[in-house]
Amino acid sequence: MKIPLKMDVTGCADWPQGFPAKVELATTVCLPDQPRSGKQPILLFAFPGGGYSRHYFDLDLSHLPGCEGASYSQADHHLASGIIVVTCDHLHVGESTKTRQPELITLDMLAAANAAMVDAVSSRLADGTLVEAAGPNAGLRCVGLGQSMGGAITIATQAAHGCFDAIAVLAHGVHGSVAVRPEDLDGLSATGRLAFSDKRPGTKLPSMRELWYAADVPQAIIDEDTKGGYPVRQTTPVYGSLTIPPCALNFIAPGFLASKAAKISVPVFIGYGDTDVLAEPDHEPAAYRSAASVEAAKFATMGHMHNFASTRQQLWDKLVAWMQELASERAEEATR
């Protein structure tokens, strides 16, 4: 069962003058048919990257040539393991509240809005008041997962608000992102110059397309994803977003989130593809120096957009195993 909801987060921040009077985040609560008995219940919040909406985590690409019969839904994969999944649009993304002055949005605002939504959803799921079909879910293990821009915002959300028991940071590097060809930056920023980390001097810069999609991604997916423009979209597929908070351009700068990552004390999972954008993937675990544990995994034949990759289920399986292990540990601690 998948239930779209709008969560009111108006009171979580002092919004700038001229901001909408009511601020809501669009979410979809995905409930498993049968929660796995005997296991600590897991509640996963999934946050998308720039240019994408929450529907990126529940892709239906069966209408595209080469995709017939294949599942691209990360949400469905996790539901099959009894995990409750809540997919979420950030402020000024997808179906969440938009503002005519997006340049006023800050990372702190994005984090505050997401934290308020997480607190409301998790508490109401726990006591059974969110949706009647869910019933009460005591002892929820709350995990935050973010892809690319969503990973950066999840780091900031946890550092400031501590609303997750663990976080998974996918396709985002605290040490920055590798540079791409200048022509791929058209329309992304006013200057066209971004704070990339160029760790490959003297080599030809890759295109966004080369980094975003592994070589075996069906061409139909690439065409569908980019036909309306990317990263600035003029039209969008159902899983995309026409709007991106402009402050997200800062997130690729090396060290921009270093102080926030260093504050995180809960377990961290780092996932990335072998043709991803992380500038220094081997050094990422050290950025979370206060974390209870850090697990990092690289996946072959995977670009920046993990859920389009032929190896996507390897990532999803790894995430499920990691979450279930943490939940089991917590259950054991509770019985001691």
Side-chain angles (χ1 to χ4, degrees), residues 59-299:
L59 294 169
D60 180 2
L61 304 180
S62 58
H63 61 290
L64 297 178
C67 301
E68 302 91 346
S71 174
Y72 287 85
S73 174
Q74 183 175 357
D76 284 350
H77 184 276
H78 295 335
L79 289 174
S81 295
I83 295 169
I84 301 171
V85 179
V86 181
T87 60
C88 320
D89 286 340
H90 308 282
L91 176 66
H92 200 71
V93 166
E95 298 173 279
S96 290
T97 296
K98 311 290 193 309
T99 172
R100 294 180 180 179
Q101 297 176 290
E103 68 278 2
L104 298 180
I105 297 174
T106 66
L107 176 57
D108 289 344
M109 292 179 193
L110 293 167
N114 284 357
M117 179 275 298
V118 168
D119 287 345
V121 170
S122 58
S123 62
R124 291 177 60 189
L125 269 174
D127 64 19
T129 61
L130 183 67
V131 288
E132 184 176 349
N137 288 270
L140 284 166
R141 178 78 170 178
C142 188
V143 179
L145 177 150
Q147 200 273 340
S148 192
M149 177 186 79
I153 299 172
T154 299
I155 291 170
T157 302
Q158 182 64 18
H161 303 279
C163 49
F164 300 115
D165 295 306
I167 65 169
V169 180
L170 307 181
H172 175 78
V174 175
H175 293 288
S177 297
V178 297
V180 298
R181 295 176 192 169
E183 59 265 27
D184 288 305
L185 306 181
D186 291 345
L188 185 58
S189 71
T191 64
R193 296 189 300 272
L194 300 174
F196 288 109
S197 176
D198 187 0
K199 297 299 180 183
R200 293 176 284 188
T203 63
K204 181 181 179 181
L205 295 179
S207 68
M208 282 187 173
R209 180 167 295 203
E210 289 169 324
L211 291 173
W212 259 235
Y213 317 100
D216 64 350
V217 172
Q219 186 61 43
I221 291 180
I222 299 174
D223 292 343
E224 175 88 354
D225 197 35
T226 59
K227 66 184 178 184
Y230 187 84
V232 179
R233 298 187 188 272
Q234 303 305 314
T235 62
T236 180
V238 295
Y239 54 81
S241 175
L242 290 173
T243 49
I244 305 173
C247 65
L249 297 178
N250 298 321
F251 302 168
I252 62 173
F256 180 78
L257 289 165
S259 62
K260 298 182 186 301
K263 292 180 181 177
I264 292 172
S265 59
V266 299
V268 176
F269 178 91
I270 302 167
Y272 57 98
D274 59 353
T275 57
D276 216 323
V277 303
L278 283 68
E280 300 183 45
D282 292 343
H283 294 163
E284 285 298 313
Y288 302 92
R289 58 175 179 264
S290 300
S293 62
V294 181
E295 182 170 340
K298 178 172 74 172
F299 297 88

Side-chain angles (χ1 to χ4, degrees), residues 25-37:
L25 296 190
T27 67
T28 299
V29 179
C30 307
L31 301 172
D33 292 333
Q34 293 291 334
R36 292 299 172 93
S37 61

